[in-house]
Amino acid sequence: LLRVMAMKILRSVADCVQATKFCIMVDETTDVSTTEQVTIVLRWVDSDLEPHEDFIGMYAAANTTADHVVEIILDTLLRLNLELENCRGECYDGAASMQGVRKGVATQLSAKEPRALFTHCYGHALNLACQDTVRSVKCLKASLDTAHEISKLMMYSSKRNTAFKTMKEQMSPGEPGLRTLCPTRWTVRGDALGSIRSNYAVLQESMEQFSDMAKNDMLFCRTA
């Protein structure tokens, strides 16, 4: 049933896009199952000059080479009965496979349709600018590095993570849990920093408990 509903929505989007020009937005990422996924979004403008961005789907990819991504894009357009000659824009991140001057996705599609102009994703560009700005300020860089290490210390150890959750249920059961600090996505770091701040007392108590446990382990090793 869900598949039928999805196909109906895609047909509706395709019917609208077929009557106008459109732009392609593509990004690739690895999901939690370590499967490479290629996300495709179409941006178009209707007769009332209202812009639309429609999510077309996520496609499992054997790899993220430029040739394979181009194959996925062309296959998707074919399934939607859309002509590449009606494409007027391409939007990707700054990866070499996407904007490489020789064999990148943008280069290959522009060779097939020169009117499809490439634009580096503004959101990705802003993310890179924020990262470079933070790295140039020592106190900010040190703060984010510390926050990243705190989240790694708690989240990547089942023993410490269980102890932290137990402590949290006792001290602040209503507060949200600890978020992992993403090293590449600036836009999601606010939640991670906020979770550290709201769980500060729990983290402090947990750190002291871990320190005492480490001292006892060292003392046991010496006396054994």
PDB file of all heavy atoms in Angstrom, residues 124-148:
ATOM      1  N   HIS A 124      25.926  23.624   2.360  1.00  0.00           N
ATOM      2  CA  HIS A 124      27.232  22.985   2.548  1.00  0.00           C
ATOM      3  C   HIS A 124      28.337  24.022   2.615  1.00  0.00           C
ATOM      4  O   HIS A 124      29.262  23.910   3.419  1.00  0.00           O
ATOM      5  CB  HIS A 124      27.488  22.004   1.402  1.00  0.00           C
ATOM      6  CG  HIS A 124      28.728  21.190   1.567  1.00  0.00           C
ATOM      7  ND1 HIS A 124      29.905  21.494   0.942  1.00  0.00           N
ATOM      8  CD2 HIS A 124      28.989  20.077   2.314  1.00  0.00           C
ATOM      9  CE1 HIS A 124      30.831  20.618   1.280  1.00  0.00           C
ATOM     10  NE2 HIS A 124      30.303  19.746   2.106  1.00  0.00           N
ATOM     11  N   ALA A 125      28.248  25.037   1.752  1.00  0.00           N
ATOM     12  CA  ALA A 125      29.254  26.104   1.764  1.00  0.00           C
ATOM     13  C   ALA A 125      29.244  26.849   3.099  1.00  0.00           C
ATOM     14  O   ALA A 125      30.299  27.189   3.650  1.00  0.00           O
ATOM     15  CB  ALA A 125      29.010  27.071   0.608  1.00  0.00           C
ATOM     16  N   LEU A 126      28.042  27.117   3.633  1.00  0.00           N
ATOM     17  CA  LEU A 126      27.935  27.788   4.934  1.00  0.00           C
ATOM     18  C   LEU A 126      28.524  26.923   6.032  1.00  0.00           C
ATOM     19  O   LEU A 126      29.206  27.418   6.931  1.00  0.00           O
ATOM     20  CB  LEU A 126      26.463  28.100   5.235  1.00  0.00           C
ATOM     21  CG  LEU A 126      26.168  28.715   6.609  1.00  0.00           C
ATOM     22  CD1 LEU A 126      26.885  30.056   6.767  1.00  0.00           C
ATOM     23  CD2 LEU A 126      24.668  28.893   6.812  1.00  0.00           C
ATOM     24  N   ASN A 127      28.278  25.610   5.954  1.00  0.00           N
ATOM     25  CA  ASN A 127      28.826  24.689   6.939  1.00  0.00           C
ATOM     26  C   ASN A 127      30.353  24.720   6.925  1.00  0.00           C
ATOM     27  O   ASN A 127      31.001  24.762   7.975  1.00  0.00           O
ATOM     28  CB  ASN A 127      28.321  23.279   6.656  1.00  0.00           C
ATOM     29  CG  ASN A 127      28.821  22.257   7.667  1.00  0.00           C
ATOM     30  OD1 ASN A 127      28.491  22.326   8.836  1.00  0.00           O
ATOM     31  ND2 ASN A 127      29.633  21.327   7.206  1.00  0.00           N
ATOM     32  N   LEU A 128      30.949  24.723   5.741  1.00  0.00           N
ATOM     33  CA  LEU A 128      32.402  24.778   5.620  1.00  0.00           C
ATOM     34  C   LEU A 128      32.952  26.101   6.149  1.00  0.00           C
ATOM     35  O   LEU A 128      33.993  26.134   6.808  1.00  0.00           O
ATOM     36  CB  LEU A 128      32.812  24.587   4.154  1.00  0.00           C
ATOM     37  CG  LEU A 128      32.524  23.208   3.545  1.00  0.00           C
ATOM     38  CD1 LEU A 128      32.899  23.206   2.065  1.00  0.00           C
ATOM     39  CD2 LEU A 128      33.282  22.123   4.281  1.00  0.00           C
ATOM     40  N   ALA A 129      32.241  27.196   5.857  1.00  0.00           N
ATOM     41  CA  ALA A 129      32.687  28.509   6.328  1.00  0.00           C
ATOM     42  C   ALA A 129      32.650  28.573   7.860  1.00  0.00           C
ATOM     43  O   ALA A 129      33.573  29.111   8.487  1.00  0.00           O
ATOM     44  CB  ALA A 129      31.820  29.609   5.729  1.00  0.00           C
ATOM     45  N   CYS A 130      31.582  28.026   8.456  1.00  0.00           N
ATOM     46  CA  CYS A 130      31.482  28.014   9.926  1.00  0.00           C
ATOM     47  C   CYS A 130      32.594  27.174  10.542  1.00  0.00           C
ATOM     48  O   CYS A 130      33.186  27.578  11.558  1.00  0.00           O
ATOM     49  CB  CYS A 130      30.115  27.473  10.342  1.00  0.00           C
ATOM     50  SG  CYS A 130      28.726  28.563   9.978  1.00  0.00           S
ATOM     51  N   GLN A 131      32.888  26.035   9.943  1.00  0.00           N
ATOM     52  CA  GLN A 131      33.951  25.180  10.477  1.00  0.00           C
ATOM     53  C   GLN A 131      35.307  25.883  10.421  1.00  0.00           C
ATOM     54  O   GLN A 131      36.078  25.853  11.385  1.00  0.00           O
ATOM     55  CB  GLN A 131      34.020  23.878   9.678  1.00  0.00           C
ATOM     56  CG  GLN A 131      32.870  22.935   9.941  1.00  0.00           C
ATOM     57  CD  GLN A 131      33.112  21.576   9.315  1.00  0.00           C
ATOM     58  OE1 GLN A 131      34.089  20.910   9.613  1.00  0.00           O
ATOM     59  NE2 GLN A 131      32.218  21.155   8.444  1.00  0.00           N
ATOM     60  N   ASP A 132      35.606  26.536   9.285  1.00  0.00           N
ATOM     61  CA  ASP A 132      36.883  27.239   9.155  1.00  0.00           C
ATOM     62  C   ASP A 132      36.974  28.395  10.141  1.00  0.00           C
ATOM     63  O   ASP A 132      38.048  28.672  10.702  1.00  0.00           O
ATOM     64  CB  ASP A 132      37.063  27.752   7.724  1.00  0.00           C
ATOM     65  CG  ASP A 132      37.293  26.619   6.735  1.00  0.00           C
ATOM     66  OD1 ASP A 132      37.652  25.519   7.178  1.00  0.00           O
ATOM     67  OD2 ASP A 132      37.103  26.837   5.521  1.00  0.00           O
ATOM     68  N   THR A 133      35.845  29.088  10.356  1.00  0.00           N
ATOM     69  CA  THR A 133      35.838  30.208  11.295  1.00  0.00           C
ATOM     70  C   THR A 133      36.112  29.728  12.722  1.00  0.00           C
ATOM     71  O   THR A 133      36.903  30.324  13.460  1.00  0.00           O
ATOM     72  CB  THR A 133      34.480  30.929  11.251  1.00  0.00           C
ATOM     73  OG1 THR A 133      34.253  31.416   9.921  1.00  0.00           O
ATOM     74  CG2 THR A 133      34.467  32.118  12.212  1.00  0.00           C
ATOM     75  N   VAL A 134      35.468  28.634  13.108  1.00  0.00           N
ATOM     76  CA  VAL A 134      35.649  28.105  14.462  1.00  0.00           C
ATOM     77  C   VAL A 134      37.085  27.617  14.670  1.00  0.00           C
ATOM     78  O   VAL A 134      37.685  27.831  15.727  1.00  0.00           O
ATOM     79  CB  VAL A 134      34.640  26.972  14.721  1.00  0.00           C
ATOM     80  CG1 VAL A 134      34.999  26.212  15.988  1.00  0.00           C
ATOM     81  CG2 VAL A 134      33.233  27.531  14.834  1.00  0.00           C
ATOM     82  N   ARG A 135      37.642  26.964  13.665  1.00  0.00           N
ATOM     83  CA  ARG A 135      39.003  26.449  13.797  1.00  0.00           C
ATOM     84  C   ARG A 135      40.035  27.556  13.966  1.00  0.00           C
ATOM     85  O   ARG A 135      41.110  27.329  14.509  1.00  0.00           O
ATOM     86  CB  ARG A 135      39.352  25.620  12.560  1.00  0.00           C
ATOM     87  CG  ARG A 135      38.662  24.260  12.506  1.00  0.00           C
ATOM     88  CD  ARG A 135      38.902  23.582  11.193  1.00  0.00           C
ATOM     89  NE  ARG A 135      38.197  22.300  11.101  1.00  0.00           N
ATOM     90  CZ  ARG A 135      37.875  21.733   9.958  1.00  0.00           C
ATOM     91  NH1 ARG A 135      38.170  22.321   8.812  1.00  0.00           N
ATOM     92  NH2 ARG A 135      37.234  20.570   9.952  1.00  0.00           N
ATOM     93  N   SER A 136      39.705  28.748  13.491  1.00  0.00           N
ATOM     94  CA  SER A 136      40.647  29.862  13.608  1.00  0.00           C
ATOM     95  C   SER A 136      40.612  30.512  14.985  1.00  0.00           C
ATOM     96  O   SER A 136      41.474  31.336  15.301  1.00  0.00           O
ATOM     97  CB  SER A 136      40.349  30.918  12.532  1.00  0.00           C
ATOM     98  OG  SER A 136      39.067  31.495  12.727  1.00  0.00           O
ATOM     99  N   VAL A 137      39.605  30.183  15.808  1.00  0.00           N
ATOM    100  CA  VAL A 137      39.484  30.729  17.163  1.00  0.00           C
ATOM    101  C   VAL A 137      39.827  29.604  18.150  1.00  0.00           C
ATOM    102  O   VAL A 137      39.091  28.624  18.259  1.00  0.00           O
ATOM    103  CB  VAL A 137      38.065  31.265  17.425  1.00  0.00           C
ATOM    104  CG1 VAL A 137      37.985  31.861  18.834  1.00  0.00           C
ATOM    105  CG2 VAL A 137      37.679  32.301  16.388  1.00  0.00           C
ATOM    106  N   LYS A 138      40.930  29.741  18.852  1.00  0.00           N
ATOM    107  CA  LYS A 138      41.447  28.654  19.672  1.00  0.00           C
ATOM    108  C   LYS A 138      40.475  28.216  20.763  1.00  0.00           C
ATOM    109  O   LYS A 138      40.293  27.017  20.996  1.00  0.00           O
ATOM    110  CB  LYS A 138      42.779  29.071  20.304  1.00  0.00           C
ATOM    111  CG  LYS A 138      43.924  29.213  19.303  1.00  0.00           C
ATOM    112  CD  LYS A 138      45.230  29.533  20.010  1.00  0.00           C
ATOM    113  CE  LYS A 138      46.373  29.628  19.008  1.00  0.00           C
ATOM    114  NZ  LYS A 138      47.667  29.938  19.672  1.00  0.00           N
ATOM    115  N   CYS A 139      39.840  29.175  21.438  1.00  0.00           N
ATOM    116  CA  CYS A 139      38.958  28.803  22.545  1.00  0.00           C
ATOM    117  C   CYS A 139      37.720  28.045  22.036  1.00  0.00           C
ATOM    118  O   CYS A 139      37.260  27.095  22.672  1.00  0.00           O
ATOM    119  CB  CYS A 139      38.541  30.038  23.338  1.00  0.00           C
ATOM    120  SG  CYS A 139      37.586  31.255  22.414  1.00  0.00           S
ATOM    121  N   LEU A 140      37.193  28.452  20.872  1.00  0.00           N
ATOM    122  CA  LEU A 140      36.043  27.746  20.304  1.00  0.00           C
ATOM    123  C   LEU A 140      36.430  26.348  19.842  1.00  0.00           C
ATOM    124  O   LEU A 140      35.699  25.379  20.064  1.00  0.00           O
ATOM    125  CB  LEU A 140      35.463  28.553  19.131  1.00  0.00           C
ATOM    126  CG  LEU A 140      34.787  29.870  19.477  1.00  0.00           C
ATOM    127  CD1 LEU A 140      34.292  30.561  18.212  1.00  0.00           C
ATOM    128  CD2 LEU A 140      33.621  29.644  20.431  1.00  0.00           C
ATOM    129  N   LYS A 141      37.568  26.256  19.194  1.00  0.00           N
ATOM    130  CA  LYS A 141      38.038  24.948  18.735  1.00  0.00           C
ATOM    131  C   LYS A 141      38.258  24.006  19.909  1.00  0.00           C
ATOM    132  O   LYS A 141      37.871  22.833  19.867  1.00  0.00           O
ATOM    133  CB  LYS A 141      39.338  25.105  17.938  1.00  0.00           C
ATOM    134  CG  LYS A 141      39.876  23.803  17.362  1.00  0.00           C
ATOM    135  CD  LYS A 141      41.143  24.052  16.560  1.00  0.00           C
ATOM    136  CE  LYS A 141      41.637  22.748  15.919  1.00  0.00           C
ATOM    137  NZ  LYS A 141      41.938  21.709  16.933  1.00  0.00           N
ATOM    138  N   ALA A 142      38.880  24.519  20.987  1.00  0.00           N
ATOM    139  CA  ALA A 142      39.123  23.701  22.170  1.00  0.00           C
ATOM    140  C   ALA A 142      37.811  23.268  22.824  1.00  0.00           C
ATOM    141  O   ALA A 142      37.674  22.125  23.277  1.00  0.00           O
ATOM    142  CB  ALA A 142      39.989  24.463  23.170  1.00  0.00           C
ATOM    143  N   SER A 143      36.826  24.175  22.849  1.00  0.00           N
ATOM    144  CA  SER A 143      35.527  23.850  23.454  1.00  0.00           C
ATOM    145  C   SER A 143      34.819  22.750  22.690  1.00  0.00           C
ATOM    146  O   SER A 143      34.290  21.798  23.284  1.00  0.00           O
ATOM    147  CB  SER A 143      34.646  25.103  23.499  1.00  0.00           C
ATOM    148  OG  SER A 143      35.243  26.110  24.302  1.00  0.00           O
ATOM    149  N   LEU A 144      34.816  22.852  21.365  1.00  0.00           N
ATOM    150  CA  LEU A 144      34.157  21.832  20.553  1.00  0.00           C
ATOM    151  C   LEU A 144      34.894  20.499  20.624  1.00  0.00           C
ATOM    152  O   LEU A 144      34.274  19.432  20.645  1.00  0.00           O
ATOM    153  CB  LEU A 144      34.047  22.304  19.102  1.00  0.00           C
ATOM    154  CG  LEU A 144      33.042  23.427  18.851  1.00  0.00           C
ATOM    155  CD1 LEU A 144      33.057  23.834  17.380  1.00  0.00           C
ATOM    156  CD2 LEU A 144      31.641  23.002  19.253  1.00  0.00           C
ATOM    157  N   ASP A 145      36.221  20.554  20.659  1.00  0.00           N
ATOM    158  CA  ASP A 145      36.988  19.317  20.787  1.00  0.00           C
ATOM    159  C   ASP A 145      36.690  18.632  22.121  1.00  0.00           C
ATOM    160  O   ASP A 145      36.549  17.397  22.184  1.00  0.00           O
ATOM    161  CB  ASP A 145      38.484  19.606  20.675  1.00  0.00           C
ATOM    162  CG  ASP A 145      38.899  19.967  19.257  1.00  0.00           C
ATOM    163  OD1 ASP A 145      38.122  19.697  18.326  1.00  0.00           O
ATOM    164  OD2 ASP A 145      39.995  20.538  19.085  1.00  0.00           O
ATOM    165  N   THR A 146      36.588  19.438  23.184  1.00  0.00           N
ATOM    166  CA  THR A 146      36.263  18.872  24.499  1.00  0.00           C
ATOM    167  C   THR A 146      34.872  18.257  24.508  1.00  0.00           C
ATOM    168  O   THR A 146      34.665  17.159  25.039  1.00  0.00           O
ATOM    169  CB  THR A 146      36.357  19.958  25.581  1.00  0.00           C
ATOM    170  OG1 THR A 146      37.678  20.511  25.593  1.00  0.00           O
ATOM    171  CG2 THR A 146      36.035  19.387  26.953  1.00  0.00           C
ATOM    172  N   ALA A 147      33.908  18.970  23.903  1.00  0.00           N
ATOM    173  CA  ALA A 147      32.538  18.446  23.834  1.00  0.00           C
ATOM    174  C   ALA A 147      32.492  17.146  23.036  1.00  0.00           C
ATOM    175  O   ALA A 147      31.771  16.202  23.397  1.00  0.00           O
ATOM    176  CB  ALA A 147      31.614  19.487  23.199  1.00  0.00           C
ATOM    177  N   HIS A 148      33.278  17.089  21.967  1.00  0.00           N
ATOM    178  CA  HIS A 148      33.323  15.878  21.154  1.00  0.00           C
ATOM    179  C   HIS A 148      33.905  14.704  21.950  1.00  0.00           C
ATOM    180  O   HIS A 148      33.399  13.572  21.880  1.00  0.00           O
ATOM    181  CB  HIS A 148      34.152  16.133  19.896  1.00  0.00           C
ATOM    182  CG  HIS A 148      34.180  14.986  18.938  1.00  0.00           C
ATOM    183  ND1 HIS A 148      33.042  14.317  18.551  1.00  0.00           N
ATOM    184  CD2 HIS A 148      35.212  14.382  18.286  1.00  0.00           C
ATOM    185  CE1 HIS A 148      33.361  13.346  17.710  1.00  0.00           C
ATOM    186  NE2 HIS A 148      34.676  13.365  17.540  1.00  0.00           N
TER     187      HIS A 148
END
